[in-house]
Amino acid sequence: MIEKYKTEHLAKNFQFVLVDKQGNVVESDNTLFNIDVDSQIQDWHPFFENFSDLLSSFKDKLHIDCVHLDSGNTQYITDIDFEKKPDGVLIKVHNLTSYYDNFQTMAQSRNESAIASELIIIKNKEFEERERFKNQFIQNFSHELRNPMMSMMSITNLLAKTDLTPSQKQLLEYVQEGNEHLKLLLEDILSISMISTGRLKLENKTFNLHKLFDLLRFTYANKAKANGLKFDAKIDARLPETAEGDRLRLYQVLTNLLDNALKYTDAGSITFTATLNQKWGNKMNVRFEISDTGKGISTENQKMIFESFSQLNHTNEKDGVGLGLAIVNGLVKLMGSEIKLTSEIDKGSMFYFDLNLKTPITQIKKAPLQKTIKSFAQKSKAAMEKQKILLVEDDERIQTILLKTLIDSGNYHVDIINDGGKVLEQVLDTDYDLIIMDVHLPNTTGNQLARLIRDFPIKKIKNVPIIGITADAFEDNIKGYLKDGMNTVLSKPFSDSQLTAAINKYIK
């Protein structure tokens, strides 16, 4: 049986032709091609035109791959063997058309796959380059904008402390509101950039969960009342007082969701709910919900609203650039959860997510009353003595504003230096209780100076508290400045109260 199949296969795919040494066809089985006996092989196909030269090029056998031959309208791709015999030359033609076609298809597929892979690599590199450029632009944009913002906010705060007419006060309030809006917008853009680049890291610490709820209740009850809305906070009594997690990012998520609800609710109410889903060991899962009676969101738009710079058409009259929910989405994912939404047009929306938090084994301890009174007395005594502060800042506007803020408090003597190269000399000549120093200075940087000061062999100089101020708000940069020896870092623009709190922390 096998011999039969073998014969059938050979009959279909092989042709044998016997020619003499002059190329005259002696015999042909004509399996593939019709070749007449007594004809010249050189006349049958152009491939054999140089048969004589071909014959002289080998001694016994010759194999040639991938020879294209045609018979009428049929194209064949063949391998041809030449073998010298006593009575002439035997030509064996092997039809390998399907093999070469498959090989070519496979090779083409591989080439296309390789090209596609190269295109993906190119596109990824292009995307990475665009992202790198975008984030570098955002970082530079943020840095360049923070100094003038610091000036505007501080000047308006100083003006608010002067005698103004009622109309001047109203105009000043408009300016202050605009400054705050610009600051929040800048922080939102920075948050989006940090989330997209993976530079935003969670800082899990123990915090008072109930105080966070109280802050939200107080803040948004007043905001809702000002907008003619009702606000309700429903807090599960089973929730512990303290929790371990990133309080700042949780607060950022909740305030963005609540601000969004306020923005798009014209009448009715807003409800904030925190519910304990389950608790095991020192871990718990909490559901946070923000519901409103606002305009609602259609099903087809519910995914789009979580994209950066996206707003729905019917909300165009509202302020904002569509970053709040994109930040919420990014932060909730970073915290290991997923923001979800149920909504109905003209009836309202509910945003919710389930978050894993830890319950610390040791609760936050309150300081004893006697110790608190003693600490207060020490600070009061220190406040009566003027402290020496070195202010290192090259921007004259920031210099003026910070100097006025510090001098007006009546608690400090302030020296000013605008050149980083003169700081060490000044520190050696004068004993300072505190240094306030910008990171970006002429001739050197504030963090480099902080490293040099920490390496001083003189204890009083080595241990002097350093408050860094910077327009670089990226967390990685701030962590680097702290590692270099700064005690704390304030990102511009900061308020008078933030500066005062930082100073009081280190001057006793």
Side-chain angles (χ1 to χ4, degrees), residues 123 125-135:
K123 287 180 179 179
K125 286 182 178 178
E126 183 182 346
F127 174 76
E128 289 172 1
E129 185 64 23
R130 285 202 308 269
E131 285 295 300
R132 187 197 64 77
F133 175 81
K134 180 193 75 175
N135 291 310

Side-chain angles (χ1 to χ4, degrees), residues 158-185:
L158 290 173
L159 283 173
K161 297 174 184 178
T162 62
D163 294 328
L164 300 173
T165 66
S167 60
Q168 288 173 332
K169 284 183 179 180
Q170 186 178 34
L171 290 172
L172 186 60
E173 286 175 2
Y174 292 152
V175 175
Q176 288 177 317
E177 287 177 6
N179 288 341
E180 282 299 321
H181 179 71
L182 186 59
K183 179 185 176 183
L184 291 174
L185 180 60

Side-chain angles (χ1 to χ4, degrees), residues 329-396:
N329 188 38
L331 288 177
V332 169
K333 284 183 178 178
L334 190 62
M335 292 189 286
S337 184
E338 180 183 2
I339 186 71
K340 296 180 181 179
L341 164 65
T342 60
S343 184
E344 192 173 345
I345 295 294
D346 296 328
K347 290 191 176 180
S349 304
M350 181 178 74
F351 292 86
Y352 63 97
F353 61 97
D354 298 318
L355 185 64
N356 287 327
L357 295 169
K358 289 184 178 180
T359 53
I361 297 174
T362 56
Q363 298 292 310
I364 299 174
K365 295 182 179 179
K366 296 181 180 179
L369 180 61
Q370 186 176 359
K371 186 176 180 180
T372 303
I373 294 172
K374 183 180 179 182
S375 175
F376 178 76
Q378 290 175 341
K379 288 184 179 180
S380 298
K381 183 180 179 181
M384 297 174 65
E385 303 173 0
K386 287 195 174 183
Q387 310 291 324
K388 288 183 180 179
I389 293 179
L390 176 62
L391 174 60
V392 188
E393 170 63 67
D394 62 312
D395 189 311
E396 291 184 4

Side-chain angles (χ1 to χ4, degrees), residues 54 106 111 156 171 206 218 226 261 268 270 272 324 332 361 368 406 437:
L54 192 66
M106 186 184 300
N111 288 338
T156 52
L171 290 172
T206 300
F218 175 79
I270 295 169
F272 167 62
V332 169
I361 297 174
L406 295 170
M437 184 159 54

Side-chain angles (χ1 to χ4, degrees), residues 386-387 389 406-407 409-414 500 503-504 507:
K386 287 195 174 183
Q387 310 291 324
I389 293 179
L406 295 170
I407 294 298
S409 71
N411 297 326
Y412 314 111
H413 290 295
V414 182
T500 302
I503 292 173
N504 290 340
I507 290 184

Side-chain angles (χ1 to χ4, degrees), residues 220-221 224-225 227-232 262 267-271 291 293:
Y220 286 93
K225 186 177 180 181
N227 289 350
L229 302 171
K230 181 184 176 183
F231 179 80
D232 190 18
L262 276 172
S269 64
I270 295 169
T271 304
S291 58
T293 56

Side-chain angles (χ1 to χ4, degrees), residues 476-489:
D476 289 350
N477 295 339
I478 292 175
K479 286 181 180 178
Y481 303 149
L482 294 173
K483 188 176 180 180
D484 288 332
M486 292 182 169
N487 296 83
T488 192
V489 180

